Amino acid sequence: ADLYPMKERPRIQAKLSTVWATSSVAGPALGGLLAAYADWRWIFLVNLPVGALALWLVLRHFFEDKRGYEDPAHRTRTTRPVIDWPGALAIFACGGLLLTALVQGGVAWPWLSAPSLLLLGGSALCAAATVLIERRAAEPIIPGWVWRRRTISTVNLALGALGLLMVAPTVFLPTYAQAVLGLGPIAAGFVLSTMTMSWPVAAALSSHVYNRFGIRTCALLGIGAATLVLLAFPQLPYPGAAWQPALLMLALGATLGLFQLPLIIGVQSSVGYAERGTATASILFCRQVGQSVGAALFGAVANTTLAGRLADAPAGIRAGLPGDLDAVSRALEHAGTLTEQATDYLRHAVDTTVEHVYYGAAVAGLLALAALLFAPRRFPVHADARGEGEAGPAEKD
């Protein structure tokens, strides 16, 4: 947003999305190869040379104008920024306690037990402390004006719901592909990667949609269609074929490409230069929080569903069944150690578990859609963005 004027931003974002999509296709395939034919530690070690190359490229080729700017109070900044360490620690404590409660609840202890209630209560207290700290901070991590502006707050909530939604395909689809469809790690990675093929294409074409119909309408169409795709997943036949979930992920990528990118561009064009970094960071922060909470929340849904299915197993096979999703996945990878009846029952159990997660993801899609209903029909355009060559008559007053 700082390097390119508004008219060029969709094209540049589409190029960046293409790079991301290419990496996302190659990444699962490479990860599958490493998992199948090398040591699992290489999944992490391979990032060292890639990261070193990226660091060199940034240092060697990335330059920007060190132009001055004004803060929201229109005072030129001449001092070093003040890092809001208390706010950062409060947010960290709030998220850590909440995620621990969601991950361990129903697994290590019952949901209504003392540990769960203490963790949830502590998270609520930390959330209240975060609000108080952020109100007094000189330069808060997420200032109050981010939540007071309807354009930014609704987009933050919508993309937070997107983070929730993304857990279903990225975390649980590979498990479904391996445990239910019987695919290997490499093939399971390719089933997921189809989503990243259509996402950048849809993102590149989204400018034609939101320039004609508006950013809010474009995003509503995208998330509405994504919710329908997520609801279609539980309707797949059992056990089905690999092309069926792959086709749904291709459609999901296309719908989310229409949803995410227009909202980011809309928020960036609604604020001035001094506020652009904060507004963009708030979007990414909310999306990441949604993804973190979603991993814990849907993990709890998966554990609860699978535990119920295993508890209801026929008496003749119950004694030899694994106790959790990871153990079930490992057992199905070596199905020769199980009876045919036990193998079929476990595949059905994983199928039901992933279906429930996708239903939860569809609910997250509805939450994103509901948040966007409160967004302004036409996103405001800041004078700075107009000066950069603002496009899109549908968004102009």
Side-chain angles (χ1 to χ4, degrees):
D2 287 347
L3 294 174
Y4 296 94
M6 184 62 195
K7 280 195 291 189
E8 294 185 36
R9 236 171 266 165
R11 178 175 59 85
I12 298 300
Q13 289 277 21
K15 288 185 176 182
L16 294 176
S17 296
T18 301
V19 175
W20 168 74
T22 304
S23 302
S24 297
V25 172
L30 178 60
L33 285 170
L34 292 173
Y37 301 110
D39 191 273
W40 64 267
R41 293 170 181 83
W42 278 103
I43 295 173
F44 299 94
L45 294 175
V46 72
N47 291 289
L48 296 178
V50 175
L53 175 61
L55 180 61
W56 179 81
L57 288 171
V58 170
L59 293 174
R60 178 70 177 81
H61 297 287
F62 182 73
F63 302 98
E64 59 182 330
D65 295 332
K66 297 184 180 297
R67 56 173 169 167
Y69 63 91
E70 294 181 347
D71 63 14
H74 303 291
R75 296 187 298 271
T76 302
R77 177 174 290 165
T78 57
T79 59
R80 294 180 62 183
V82 178
I83 299 177
D84 179 23
W85 291 112
L89 292 173
I91 292 173
F92 175 78
C94 176
L97 292 173
L98 177 61
L99 292 177
T100 303
L102 293 174
V103 169
Q104 299 296 337
V107 180
W109 50 69
W111 282 108
L112 296 180
S113 63
S116 286
L117 296 177
L118 286 173
L119 286 169
L120 292 172
S123 178
L125 288 175
C126 288
T130 301
V131 174
L132 294 176
I133 292 171
E134 295 298 88
R135 284 182 173 179
R136 292 181 171 86
E139 296 186 27
I141 292 179
I142 301 184
W145 59 262
V146 167
W147 297 106
R148 289 192 294 269
R149 298 184 190 179
R150 190 156 59 106
T151 300
I152 303 176
S153 61
T154 52
V155 170
N156 283 347
L157 293 174
L159 291 185
L162 172 65
L164 277 170
L165 180 157
M166 286 300 296
V167 171
T170 57
V171 176
F172 290 93
L173 182 64
T175 299
Y176 171 87
Q178 291 183 259
V180 178
L181 301 181
L183 302 179
I186 300 174
F190 275 114
V191 170
L192 172 62
S193 67
T194 57
M195 178 176 66
T196 61
M197 297 177 185
S198 56
W199 192 318
V201 175
L205 297 176
S206 65
S207 61
H208 299 287
V209 180
Y210 68 71
N211 279 331
R212 181 169 183 178
F213 300 105
I215 288 175
R216 177 174 176 262
T217 301
C218 179
L220 284 171
L221 289 172
I223 196 61
T227 303
L228 294 177
V229 172
L230 292 167
L231 288 173
F233 185 89
Q235 314 309 318
L236 291 177
Y238 174 86
W243 66 267
Q244 294 168 330
L247 184 62
L248 287 182
M249 291 306 99
L250 192 70
L252 183 64
T255 59
L256 295 180
L258 291 175
F259 169 67
Q260 178 181 250
L261 181 59
L263 293 178
I264 295 176
I265 291 177
V267 167
Q268 289 177 340
S269 66
S270 72
V271 297
Y273 176 77
E275 299 174 336
R276 189 179 291 157
T278 300
T280 306
S282 72
I283 294 173
L284 303 179
F285 174 76
C286 289
R287 188 179 63 187
Q288 188 60 47
V289 168
Q291 195 163 347
S292 300
V293 172
L297 182 62
F298 290 149
V301 170
N303 287 331
T304 302
T305 302
L306 187 63
R309 292 285 295 170
L310 295 177
D312 294 337
I317 64 171
R318 188 183 308 165
L321 295 181
D324 56 54
L325 186 58
D326 288 336
V328 169
S329 299
R330 287 194 297 270
L332 289 173
E333 287 180 14
H334 306 88
T337 60
L338 301 169
T339 65
E340 184 177 347
Q341 184 183 9
T343 299
D344 187 62
Y345 189 86
L346 288 179
R347 292 192 190 280
H348 271 96
V350 174
D351 182 62
T352 302
T353 297
V354 177
E355 284 180 359
H356 286 189
V357 170
Y358 267 81
Y359 279 128
V363 172
L366 291 176
L367 291 176
L369 191 148
L372 287 179
L373 291 177
F374 292 94
R377 293 182 62 85
R378 295 181 181 274
F379 277 44
V381 178
H382 194 274
D384 285 359
R386 292 183 188 277
E388 292 171 349
E390 180 68 29
E395 298 306 312
K396 290 186 178 180
D397 296 332

